[in-house]
Amino acid sequence: MSKYLISFDEGTMVFPMAELDAVSEATHAVLREAKAAGVWVFGGGLPEAAGGAVVDVDGTVHDPAVRPGKETFIGGFCILDLPTRDEALRWAAKFAVACRCAQEVRVFLDDPES
């Protein structure tokens, strides 16, 4: 089994506010399905990048919203423990439909010391 990060960029989850309850319910239904399947590890939505911080190697702290060279930020994510990349893609497709936005899928590298 490998852990996969499924995420979407901030600002891509766009729909009429009147549909917020339906989108929320659809997203939580996929989340509950992942938990019932025993593949859910952790996840959640993130507030706007302007509320965060980026710390450079010299210790300088930047507001990520004004940091040069960075145009997108994670808006939400989940980590699932799955047997294959194809399975991760299937789950990402479910989240894409529920959230109404594209999802990025990335595998975590194995830690040779664990």
Side-chain angles (χ1 to χ4, degrees):
M1 298 281 272
S2 295
K3 290 186 178 53
Y4 289 85
L5 171 69
I6 300 174
S7 64
F8 62 90
D9 288 344
E10 179 180 84
T12 59
M13 197 174 175
V14 180
F15 49 83
M17 285 307 293
E19 298 175 16
L20 177 61
D21 288 343
V23 171
S24 179
E25 176 51 36
T27 303
H28 284 97
V30 177
L31 184 154
R32 288 189 298 272
E33 183 183 351
K35 285 182 176 181
V39 299
W40 180 264
V41 176
F42 181 76
L46 299 171
E48 291 183 8
V54 174
V55 181
D56 284 337
V57 296
D58 66 358
T60 304
V61 178
H62 300 275
D63 177 343
V66 297
R67 186 168 187 231
K70 185 69 175 168
E71 297 175 8
T72 61
F73 301 92
I74 295 176
F77 72 97
C78 68
I79 298 169
L80 303 181
D81 197 12
L82 300 165
T84 66
R85 180 178 185 272
D86 286 343
E87 189 66 17
L89 296 174
R90 281 191 278 283
W91 281 101
K94 292 178 184 191
F95 278 108
V97 170
C99 294
R100 301 183 187 182
C101 64
Q103 304 289 307
E104 180 179 352
V105 177
R106 298 185 69 182
V107 66
F108 280 85
L109 298 175
D110 290 329
D111 180 356
E113 295 189 17
S114 63

